[in-house]
Amino acid sequence: MVTPEIPPLYRDSDFNGPLSDAHAARLIRTLGPLEGRRIVDVGCGWAEFLLRTLESEPTATGFGIDRNGDHVRHGRELAAARGLDDRVELVVGDVGEWAGTEADVVVNNGASHVWGGDPVTHTGNALAAASELLAPGGRLLFGEGFWLREPTPEELGVMRDIPLAQYGSVPDLVDLALSHGFRLRALSQATLEEWDDFESRHAQGWEDWLLENPDSPDAEEVRARADRHREFRVRGTRETLGFAYLTLIRV
């Protein structure tokens, strides 16, 4: 069966994660000063956060890498539309095979997996790799999940591919960052409203497609995918999984 043409997530979402406009602006401020800085976003998606960071400081330059070609192409379109394409380079690539590039600021939001390893070691691998890209005094914005509370076996069953050991508490996450040569400059977490807005936008493309294509031979597959996503959220992660944003300084 040919994969159905579902509208891309960026059609309905600003960021590929639980983040509001106001929260994003606060995170950008924690990275300053940004005059003349080179900002590298690893696992950038369509680079919305990177582009907004560059918009906040006209002398900054940026580089983003992501393995999703559709997302990178959309990011390039956004950069051109905002007049930022002369200050940012967005490339398609596998971070595991990437040689790295000099950075004053590194952004890795919800993409610790891009440096490889099993789910339990993703976070530590990402912190170690980001540290290598930064000189002392460099900044890292690191967005990662944590358990709001320990999920029940039933909730873990709904989450399927998320092992309990993949996440810890916020203090656990902070301690892990400190153990990789960072100091904590700022800390915040996604609100339930941000999570609900992101997940609802995520689901919207599937639901709209089903309304518009009720007789498609792909409808059953799309409905099953949308149903899995709904159960994952409402019976799995909604009361259990949080998301923290750490602004870190390389020491």
Side-chain angles (χ1 to χ4, degrees), residues 176-235:
L176 184 61
L178 300 185
S179 75
H180 281 83
F182 291 99
R183 302 249 337 145
L184 181 67
R185 188 167 195 257
L187 170 67
S188 60
Q189 70 185 62
T191 65
L192 182 60
E193 181 179 9
E194 287 175 304
W195 265 120
D196 283 347
D197 181 60
F198 169 62
E199 294 291 357
S200 295
R201 293 187 189 204
H202 197 170
Q204 186 171 316
W206 291 323
E207 298 302 333
D208 288 349
W209 187 95
L210 287 167
L211 286 173
E212 296 162 5
N213 300 275
D215 300 321
S216 168
D218 294 321
E220 183 177 351
E221 178 188 345
V222 175
R223 188 175 297 106
R225 191 183 305 180
D227 289 348
R228 287 194 299 270
H229 178 267
R230 182 192 64 243
E231 293 298 289
F232 177 85
R233 179 61 178 156
V234 302
R235 298 188 188 278

Side-chain angles (χ1 to χ4, degrees), residues 15-29:
F15 302 101
N16 190 9
L19 185 63
S20 66
D21 293 338
H23 195 171
R26 292 195 301 273
L27 292 177
I28 291 168
R29 288 195 294 270

Side-chain angles (χ1 to χ4, degrees), residues 103-115:
D104 300 301
V105 176
V106 172
V107 177
N108 185 227
N109 278 339
S112 60
H113 60 278
V114 298
W115 273 290

Side-chain angles (χ1 to χ4, degrees), residues 51-151:
L51 297 180
R52 292 196 190 195
T53 305
L54 295 178
E55 285 178 318
S56 77
E57 174 45 61
T59 66
T61 58
F63 174 89
I65 181 170
D66 196 280
R67 68 189 307 171
N68 188 310
D70 288 339
H71 287 178
V72 170
R73 281 189 289 274
H74 182 60
R76 289 170 180 164
E77 293 169 356
L78 292 176
R82 299 180 193 183
L84 297 171
D85 48 338
D86 62 336
R87 289 199 285 131
V88 65
E89 180 185 7
L90 302 177
V91 302
V92 179
D94 184 342
V95 175
E97 301 175 356
W98 175 56
T101 185
E102 181 183 352
D104 300 301
V105 176
V106 172
V107 177
N108 185 227
N109 278 339
S112 60
H113 60 278
V114 298
W115 273 290
D118 62 71
V120 177
T121 62
H122 283 167
T123 304
N125 290 347
L127 288 165
S131 177
E132 291 296 318
L133 296 175
L134 293 165
R139 309 292 169 86
L140 168 64
L141 178 62
F142 191 65
E144 185 59 285
F146 68 93
W147 293 126
L148 292 163
R149 62 166 173 79
E150 185 171 312

Side-chain angles (χ1 to χ4, degrees), residues 13-14 136:
S13 300
D14 296 322

